[in-house]
Amino acid sequence: MLSFVLRKMGMLIPTFLGITLIAFFIAHLIPGDPASSMLGILASDENLRLSMIRQLGLDQPLTVQYWHYLSATLQGNLGSSLVSREPVLAEFLRLFPATLELTFFAMTFALLFGLGLGIVAAVKRGSLLDRSAMALALIGYSMPIYWWGLLAILFFSIGLGDWLPDLALPVSGRIAAEYDLTPITGFMLVDSLLQANHAAFRSALSHLLLPALVLGTFPMAVIARMTRSSMLEVMREDYVRTARAKGLAPSRVMLVHVLRNALVPIVTVVGLIVGPLLGGAVLTESIFSWPGIGRWMIEAVWQRDYPILQGGLLLIAALVIFVNLLVELLYGLLNPRIRHG
Amino acid sequence: MNRLLSVLWLGVATALLSAPVTAKEEQTFVFCFEGSPEGFDPARGLTTTTYNAASDPLYNKLLGFAAKDLQIVPDLAERWEASKDGRQFTFHLRRNVKWHTTEYFTPSRDFNADDVILSLDRLRNKDHPFNKAYGWSEYPYTKTYAANIDLIERLDDYTVRIRLKKTDAAFLANLAMPTSIIISAEYSAKLQQAGKLPEINVKPIGTGPFVFRRYDKDALIRYDANLSYFQGPAKFDHLVYVIAKDSAVRLQKLRAGECHLSIAPKPQEIAAIKINPNLKLAQIAGVSTGFIAFNTSKKPLDSADVRRALSLAINKKALFDSLFQGSASPATTLLTPAMIGYDPSIKGIDYDPEQARALLAKAGLPQGFEIELWALPISRNYLPDGRKFSEMIQADWAKIGVKAKIVTYEWGEYIKRAAAGEHQAITLGWSSDNGDPDNLLTPLLSCSSRDFALSHWCDRNFEALLEKGRQENDPAKRSNIYREISRILQREIPILPISYGIITQPMRKEVEGYQVTPLTRTFLHGVELKSQH
Amino acid sequence: MAYSIPESATVENAADSSLSDVWQHLRHSPASILAITYVIALLLTALFAPWLTLHNPVEQFREHLLDAPLWRGGTLDFPFGTDDLGRDLLSRLIYGSRYSLFIGFTAILAALLPGVVLGMLSAFFPRFLGFGVMRAMDVLLALPSLLLTVAVVAVLGSGLINTIVAIALVQLPGVVRLTRATAIGELAKEYVAASRIAGAGVLRLLFIAVLPNCIPPLIVQATLGFSVAILDAAALGFLGLGAQPPTPEWGTMLASARDFIESASWVVYLPGLAIMSTVLAINLIGDGLRDLLDPKLRVR
């Protein structure tokens, strides 16, 4: 087991280095030189520009620059935003809880409904229930997220706002502007409870519903389909038929044997969904003005704030690699064949 | 002893438990705002976004503008005298004006002459120790008038005398601009000592009606009412600017009651606002002009014929009927009707695509040419829908053979690149900060202007006229100078005026006492929320 | 946005399916038939767009801003209504199909060609080349697909070509991994060992023996990748980073539609419906193909 873990971690190193290379080159591939970007309106002053170039070390050979970049990165210095002058890492850590809260709820929704739909579909295979569940999943799988978001706002915020104003969901943001919560953990729900502000908690919850629903639709569809096919496959296996032949109640068979074994590939899928989830978060956060790292990255693209682009990509990639590593370890744990294969 | 203690405890407990919980419900005013401020030192700011977000709530200036008619009124200067030659001004400062107290600063004294002196010195002197420690000396709209200050004398704690090098007819108006803020000398000294002077731009201290609390980048700005404001505290406890860059989102939030006031609606939204029973609209003619500026340093825009051809090709009537829908009025000159020197006899450029093509042929471009047209990314009162506007211009120009590629950037980026002169034809506008024509003309068209000479156009005769206009104190003579200027601009067309802005601000019916001003400012001090929603 | 195949997967493959199998399968699935019909119809409209549209998709009819579609009281002149600049929506949707399909095809092709080559080379030379290529693919996979496309476009600039490059880059790792997995599976077989002993060259082995067996899973991958490409291209257009106005790309059309969500909702739901139904149809076909090849194709 240990060698497996070490082997997997070892493979991470070249991947991580590759990512730092990409991040490093982003700054140099963007048209215009980084010194001018940093100086902005003062860039027309040639002396200032040249001294900035020297200060940033841009006149040195690329390999030297990369080495400096790498060592700075490993020490946690990812540069500062060109717009706000705040360190990139600090901004990331400040905004990440918002995205985490959103993706957590989206994933919960996806798991609950995905597993539910998938199990029902597998158990009632071939029935109308099965077909409608899979049709629903297929639609959720094919829908553009931002379109779904716009429609959701149309129905649940604006539409309900006209018909049933008390039930209408908020249009954007994490919480109503009146609530000034001190950010302790960065998670609105937790912070509001810690500060015993129940009205704020309710506000934060209502703001979370729609974005989580929109973001969680795609993973839900994937999980539903995966659950169904995985369960069906397991149900075909010999040992299940043996269990049934031995006289075990069908439900017990389902729960104990089928589901548990079907969960294995589902775990993999859940892990691999992190990437698309973060990608979907970019779009969801744009639609709902959710102040997380997705929106942060898009604003950075718009503002040509390349330190954020560099640092953000690096951090997000590191996150995805880390989650994938956990999933691969988990997978190895559950499936001994992989460990030694 | 024990009995006494227990009785004491009992007493305390009873007192505590029976104390009436009179926690007054705090009122928060929420303003759905259009963009992020460049920082909280508006002297550095280039856009009205920054002035609305940072200058109006936090700071005062020496002088101000009356909301409706742009008359100059006292602010931190209670009264003032001007010398006969118009080059010397003596300001008598207001007493008992308190600086903000926050978690990062507690003032030890009231506002006085030292603050005025520092505030003006940093603007006029690039090498001032403040600017050296600040790492910044480019104050875009103030350095020109401030550089004209010869001497600032501190007559006593509350009297300051300013002598100018040359007469400047717009000097008082310039002192009332949102960039001419008065900052705290004590706070600056404290930060400078700690080597942290740049923090002034993120942790501001002013004398204004609202105290800075927190800025969540691109999300919201939180202010608390300044309880010791010299005009009395605001009628609500907290002020929140919610940054919603999409005008549709602002309207949705306004309708849902998530904010009380909004800004810059799109023309098609105005009809919906008018019929909504919960909302009302405030409108006033602005002093802003929307235009297309031609960068004459890039061929073929160096030819006046080409510029005229491009102008003739635009179907203004169709533009205004379909795009603006009453949210702005057609412009004939750069100067707005309210400004001195506005000439109503100057007609705008007609729609004549035939003549346009002829002019292009004359300039040696009968087949047309390719051009980059920059589209305004943000909604403005003079141009509520920049993207749509650019697409319409693109279609108009295509008809005379000019192929336009639409380019746009995020607002802050847009301004930066425009200042760097990267554009060919750029859609932009100018909201006058003080109603004075020089404030509009000098940054845009002066030979010596650096940041906003969008047309990169320099004409010595024109420059001389500008200088004359600045120095002429007699209103009639000044008006004639600016009429002459408008005529020259009509001939050369370095900038094609398109629209005069009408300031439109939608708000909830509960909002009382809000005064829209032609200067695109947001003064929330006297505003009240009538009924709770 | 589809989930990727784990690196540890191997693919085994058996004899090809025959045409009659395909027809048998289709007969029992009306959904698949519908999907195929839709896609063929879409291809035809895209090809014959200039003859099928009533108006030029970029022409602005200033008298007809935000005209309602036929089912909301509109005229036959503009059956699907017009947008906020007076452009005919039906024409724009039809021309938009050209862009979506073009982007999809080109991006997939641009991913397949280098991807297959890299995948096969990795299988044949697993120690250095294979290791290097797989680590490079890991790097690409570490970035969420949308962020990678956004980053590429941020660097290269917005526009159609760069969109295609960005999407192809995102699809590449999936193709490489699949090809490599299939190739490894094939290489383990006896006939390959036999050929090698008989003295067959590497290239011959690659193209005559291994490649044909890689095709079925690649077809499935390409189909699903196609729908992902359309979604990603539309997402870029929506974010303002893809095709620029006045190009009638479906995603770009949605970007400005947000303002009209209430006043002229057809401007919002029509382009979105176009995207969704196209992606849905392609996914259905992809599913059908996978089911078809399923009994013979197992991802372990």
Side-chain angles (χ1 to χ4, degrees):
Chain A
M1 185 63 192
L2 188 63
S3 67
F4 175 69
V5 174
L6 286 176
R7 217 180 338 126
K8 285 290 170 188
M9 287 183 74
M11 296 226 275
L12 279 187
I13 296 173
T15 314
F16 183 72
L17 282 178
I19 294 176
T20 56
L21 262 171
I22 290 185
F24 172 70
F25 273 110
I26 281 181
H28 294 268
L29 287 172
I30 290 184
D33 68 281
S36 300
S37 305
M38 288 201 74
L39 288 173
I41 208 176
L42 302 168
S44 40
D45 183 340
E46 192 60 19
N47 287 332
L48 204 55
R49 198 178 73 90
L50 288 172
S51 78
M52 190 56 137
I53 287 183
R54 249 172 286 130
Q55 197 182 327
L56 290 175
L58 291 172
D59 49 346
Q60 295 183 312
L62 276 177
T63 34
V64 176
Q65 287 188 51
Y66 175 66
W67 176 246
H68 285 143
Y69 175 73
L70 190 62
S71 35
T73 305
L74 288 172
Q75 287 169 41
N77 176 9
L78 290 162
S80 302
S81 158
L82 292 177
V83 174
S84 69
R85 313 278 169 186
E86 224 190 297
V88 171
L89 187 60
E91 275 197 17
F92 181 88
L93 290 173
R94 188 169 49 83
L95 296 170
F96 185 59
T99 305
L100 197 60
E101 201 173 21
L102 177 62
T103 45
F104 178 76
F105 273 88
M107 212 47 207
T108 314
F109 163 75
L111 273 170
L112 279 173
F113 281 86
L115 281 173
L117 271 178
I119 292 174
V120 161
V123 166
K124 302 270 189 227
R125 184 201 178 163
S127 70
L128 185 63
L129 212 58
D130 173 23
R131 279 202 284 240
S132 12
M134 284 302 105
L136 212 68
L138 190 63
I139 291 179
Y141 193 69
S142 316
M143 205 143 60
I145 288 189
Y146 40 92
W147 186 62
W148 174 209
L150 285 177
L151 289 179
I153 292 180
L154 181 65
F155 292 135
F156 297 110
S157 299
I158 301 176
L160 276 184
D162 288 335
W163 296 109
L164 292 164
D166 293 323
L167 285 178
L169 289 175
V171 170
S172 66
R174 289 182 79 188
I175 197 170
E178 301 98 78
Y179 301 111
D180 184 16
L181 291 176
T182 334
I184 307 176
T185 59
F187 302 111
M188 284 289 179
L189 291 179
V190 177
D191 284 346
S192 54
L193 285 178
L194 285 177
Q195 290 166 54
N197 190 338
H198 300 285
F201 179 81
R202 281 196 300 273
S203 177
L205 195 63
S206 69
H207 279 78
L208 203 53
L209 285 175
L210 219 47
L213 170 71
V214 169
L215 182 59
T217 304
F218 178 80
M220 176 208 76
V222 169
I223 291 175
R225 285 154 59 97
M226 194 63 190
T227 309
R228 178 184 181 274
S229 67
S230 172
M231 280 188 69
L232 285 178
E233 192 162 313
V234 171
M235 289 199 297
R236 277 198 289 250
E237 294 284 329
D238 290 337
Y239 66 88
V240 175
R241 284 194 274 148
T242 319
R244 278 193 139 142
K246 286 208 287 194
L248 285 171
S251 56
R252 187 177 158 79
V253 171
M254 208 52 70
L255 226 51
V256 174
H257 292 98
V258 178
L259 195 55
R260 200 174 58 192
N261 286 291
L263 274 178
V264 170
I266 293 174
V267 161
T268 343
V269 166
V270 167
L272 295 170
I273 266 257
V274 170
L277 206 59
L278 282 174
V282 168
L283 295 166
T284 316
E285 289 181 13
S286 294
I287 294 270
F288 289 97
S289 303
W290 192 266
I293 54 177
R295 205 176 78 133
W296 181 60
M297 293 286 287
I298 289 294
E299 295 274 335
V301 172
W302 273 111
Q303 292 170 338
R304 301 287 193 277
D305 198 340
Y306 78 86
I308 291 186
L309 275 176
Q310 273 185 310
L313 277 175
L314 198 69
L315 288 165
I316 294 175
L319 200 69
V320 172
I321 294 179
F322 179 67
V323 174
N324 281 342
L325 175 70
L326 283 179
V327 167
E328 290 225 24
L329 291 180
L330 199 66
Y331 197 52
L333 203 73
L334 291 170
N335 192 343
R337 280 182 285 170
I338 298 297
R339 264 187 263 159
H340 308 294
Chain B
M1 195 56 192
N2 270 339
R3 267 196 83 172
L4 188 64
L5 271 176
S6 20
V7 167
L8 219 64
W9 276 124
L10 198 63
V12 168
T14 329
L16 281 176
L17 287 173
S18 60
V21 182
T22 48
K24 170 184 149 270
E25 206 177 293
E26 301 208 315
Q27 255 199 1
T28 306
F29 189 91
V30 183
F31 179 21
C32 271
F33 194 57
E34 52 168 5
S36 307
E38 294 150 277
F40 290 92
D41 178 10
R44 289 165 62 152
L46 290 169
T47 64
T48 52
T49 310
T50 307
Y51 309 150
N52 274 314
S55 183
D56 301 331
L58 283 168
Y59 297 100
N60 292 100
K61 294 88 61 186
L62 274 179
L63 304 170
F65 290 109
K68 278 212 194 95
D69 56 8
L70 302 184
Q71 286 299 316
I72 294 184
V73 296
D75 195 352
L76 285 177
E78 271 185 325
R79 53 181 212 287
W80 61 95
E81 294 104 34
S83 68
K84 276 239 180 59
D85 62 0
R87 283 170 54 191
Q88 186 164 288
F89 297 87
T90 311
F91 295 98
H92 302 273
L93 306 175
R94 201 179 290 269
R95 288 156 208 265
N96 296 320
V97 174
K98 310 268 177 238
W99 288 100
H100 294 159
T101 303
T102 64
E103 40 181 36
Y104 47 88
F105 177 67
T106 310
S108 68
R109 61 162 177 81
D110 287 349
F111 155 75
N112 66 23
D114 294 324
D115 303 309
V116 174
I117 293 173
L118 175 67
S119 305
L120 289 175
D121 268 344
R122 73 154 175 160
L123 297 177
R124 71 188 183 113
N125 182 0
K126 246 176 53 149
D127 300 312
H128 195 277
F130 177 95
N131 290 329
K132 288 218 141 68
Y134 197 20
W136 180 272
S137 59
E138 293 299 306
Y139 300 101
Y141 304 135
T142 43
K143 63 183 183 196
T144 27
Y145 88 78
N148 188 31
I149 297 178
D150 193 21
L151 189 61
I152 309 181
E153 284 174 85
R154 185 189 200 282
L155 296 181
D156 61 47
D157 272 355
Y158 294 100
T159 318
V160 175
R161 176 178 294 156
I162 299 181
R163 190 153 59 225
L164 305 176
K165 294 180 193 160
K166 295 184 290 196
T167 324
D168 180 2
F171 181 64
L172 289 180
N174 281 328
L175 279 179
M177 288 201 295
T179 43
S180 308
I181 53 166
I182 302 295
I183 56 175
S184 163
E186 188 189 356
Y187 181 52
S188 309
K190 174 170 170 251
L191 284 180
Q192 200 166 338
Q193 250 187 342
K196 294 204 261 177
L197 195 50
E199 272 191 13
I200 261 191
N201 200 23
V202 283
K203 289 189 180 149
I205 293 286
T207 51
F210 298 99
V211 182
F212 181 79
R213 182 76 183 275
R214 198 167 80 230
Y215 173 46
D216 291 336
K217 184 180 166 201
D218 292 330
L220 50 78
I221 312 173
R222 263 189 212 285
Y223 293 108
D224 295 327
N226 179 5
L227 297 170
S228 34
Y229 187 51
F230 67 86
Q231 285 178 24
K235 298 204 170 88
F236 43 83
D237 306 284
H238 306 285
L239 172 62
V240 178
Y241 280 62
V242 170
I243 295 171
K245 298 189 180 173
D246 202 315
S247 76
V249 176
R250 291 199 291 274
L251 183 59
Q252 284 159 11
K253 287 176 87 83
L254 194 65
R255 286 173 49 173
E258 289 173 30
C259 50
H260 302 110
L261 175 70
S262 178
I263 192 174
K266 289 227 170 102
Q268 63 264 19
E269 293 163 2
I270 294 182
I273 296 170
K274 284 193 176 147
I275 59 173
N276 188 311
N278 295 318
L279 303 179
K280 59 184 180 187
L281 211 58
Q283 282 188 304
I284 197 170
V287 280
S288 53
T289 315
F291 53 72
I292 298 180
F294 301 115
N295 188 346
T296 61
S297 68
K298 298 203 172 165
K299 282 188 166 342
L301 295 172
D302 54 339
S303 152
D305 283 336
V306 171
R307 298 199 295 270
R308 179 167 285 274
L310 289 175
S311 311
L312 287 164
I314 295 178
N315 187 344
K316 273 250 199 78
K317 181 173 180 306
L319 210 62
F320 273 88
D321 287 343
S322 55
L323 183 64
F324 288 98
Q325 294 170 22
S327 62
S329 48
T332 51
T333 61
L334 269 184
L335 277 66
T336 66
M339 285 181 181
I340 221 183
Y342 171 71
D343 190 345
S345 71
I346 297 182
K347 302 289 169 219
I349 308 223
D350 279 332
Y351 175 50
D352 195 340
E354 289 302 316
Q355 212 203 337
R357 270 187 229 116
L359 276 172
L360 278 184
K362 178 172 161 229
L365 293 161
Q367 303 293 72
F369 57 94
E370 286 190 10
I371 193 175
E372 260 192 14
L373 174 64
W374 283 29
L376 193 67
I378 197 176
S379 181
R380 281 253 163 292
N381 56 71
Y382 49 76
L383 194 59
D385 196 334
R387 182 197 60 85
K388 206 157 131 181
F389 174 77
S390 300
E391 292 191 33
M392 290 181 123
I393 302 287
Q394 187 187 43
D396 277 343
W397 282 351
K399 295 205 179 99
I400 63 164
V402 175
K403 205 165 154 240
K405 173 166 174 247
I406 297 184
V407 169
T408 195
Y409 300 97
E410 183 267 341
W411 179 228
E413 188 70 18
Y414 194 80
I415 295 281
K416 275 207 301 203
R417 287 175 186 247
E422 288 183 23
H423 53 280
Q424 284 185 293
I426 183 169
T427 318
L428 198 54
W430 196 266
S431 294
S432 172
D433 299 313
N434 56 17
D436 191 280
D438 188 67
N439 174 258
L440 170 72
L441 293 167
T442 297
L444 286 175
L445 293 163
S446 164
C447 293
S448 58
S449 167
R450 239 178 58 179
D451 308 313
F452 265 99
L454 293 173
S455 301
H456 293 260
W457 183 72
C458 182
D459 180 308
R460 291 289 151 197
N461 290 334
F462 187 81
E463 190 69 18
L465 270 178
L466 276 181
E467 183 67 22
K468 257 177 79 181
R470 252 172 274 162
Q471 299 207 358
E472 180 58 66
N473 265 323
D474 175 65
K477 291 201 189 127
R478 210 165 172 239
S479 176
N480 281 333
I481 293 173
Y482 288 113
R483 284 174 186 240
E484 175 69 26
I485 281 179
S486 290
R487 280 192 283 274
I488 296 180
L489 291 177
Q490 177 85 330
R491 224 174 40 226
E492 296 290 321
I493 323 179
I495 296 184
L496 174 67
I498 300 280
S499 53
Y500 295 133
I502 297 176
I503 317 280
T504 308
Q505 282 192 268
M507 64 195 90
R508 301 221 27 117
K509 282 248 161 74
E510 304 93 77
V511 177
E512 296 278 331
Y514 181 70
Q515 183 63 46
V516 212
T517 104
L519 291 170
T520 335
R521 299 265 75 77
T522 309
F523 295 116
L524 289 166
H525 172 245
V527 174
E528 205 172 339
L529 282 174
K530 270 304 173 191
S531 52
Q532 291 288 69
H533 61 94
Chain C
M1 281 201 267
Y3 53 92
S4 53
I5 299 170
E7 188 184 335
S8 39
T10 54
V11 174
E12 71 178 30
N13 216 326
D16 310 350
S17 53
S18 59
L19 218 53
S20 65
D21 276 348
V22 177
W23 177 237
Q24 278 295 81
H25 187 86
L26 277 180
R27 259 176 41 168
H28 296 293
S29 175
S32 303
I33 297 184
L34 204 65
I36 295 181
T37 325
Y38 177 86
V39 173
I40 294 180
L42 196 70
L43 275 165
L44 289 174
T45 36
L47 264 149
F48 295 111
W51 292 273
L52 289 170
T53 51
L54 298 161
H55 307 281
N56 184 331
V58 301
E59 184 172 352
Q60 300 173 6
F61 296 96
R62 305 269 170 92
E63 321 289 304
H64 293 276
L65 299 181
L66 289 176
D67 267 13
L70 215 48
W71 55 90
R72 288 257 303 247
T75 60
L76 272 173
D77 238 4
F78 306 105
F80 276 17
T82 58
D83 68 6
D84 57 321
L85 277 164
R87 299 181 288 215
D88 177 36
L89 220 54
L90 180 59
S91 312
R92 283 176 74 77
L93 286 174
I94 290 179
Y95 271 84
S97 67
R98 283 191 152 185
Y99 286 98
S100 298
L101 292 174
F102 175 70
I103 293 175
F105 274 130
T106 329
I108 295 293
L109 228 63
L112 275 177
L113 287 168
V116 167
V117 170
L118 281 174
M120 297 230 272
L121 289 177
S122 316
F124 265 72
F125 306 108
R127 250 157 317 190
F128 288 119
L129 189 59
F131 186 76
V133 167
M134 291 319 284
R135 295 291 77 70
M137 293 303 113
D138 279 348
V139 169
L140 283 178
L141 276 173
L143 297 162
S145 65
L146 187 68
L147 278 173
L148 185 56
T149 49
V150 165
V152 170
V153 165
V155 168
L156 295 177
S158 56
L160 206 55
I161 305 290
N162 296 336
T163 306
I164 294 176
V165 169
I167 295 177
L169 209 60
V170 165
Q171 302 270 353
L172 193 64
V175 174
V176 170
R177 277 195 169 178
L178 186 60
T179 315
R180 174 180 173 273
T182 321
I184 286 183
E186 286 301 301
L187 285 176
K189 295 207 169 127
E190 283 138 10
Y191 76 92
V192 170
S195 300
R196 271 185 150 157
I197 293 172
V202 167
L203 276 175
R204 188 189 157 83
L205 224 57
L206 270 172
F207 286 100
I208 298 189
V210 181
L211 185 57
N213 288 303
C214 294
I215 291 184
L218 276 177
I219 291 180
V220 179
Q221 173 83 349
T223 321
L224 297 173
F226 195 84
S227 65
V228 168
I230 294 181
L231 278 174
D232 278 349
L236 282 178
F238 175 74
L239 289 170
L241 298 168
Q244 294 296 303
T247 315
E249 197 265 320
W250 290 338
T252 316
M253 286 164 72
L254 269 182
S256 42
R258 180 168 200 172
D259 298 339
F260 306 100
I261 207 174
E262 291 180 75
S263 47
S265 50
W266 59 92
V267 179
V268 176
Y269 63 73
L270 283 174
L273 218 58
I275 300 174
M276 187 177 89
S277 38
T278 309
V279 171
L280 200 78
I282 297 176
N283 277 337
L284 263 174
I285 295 178
D287 275 356
L289 282 173
R290 199 206 277 122
D291 284 346
L292 198 63
L293 307 167
D294 189 320
K296 302 139 184 143
L297 172 78
R298 202 142 275 165
V299 178
R300 258 196 277 131

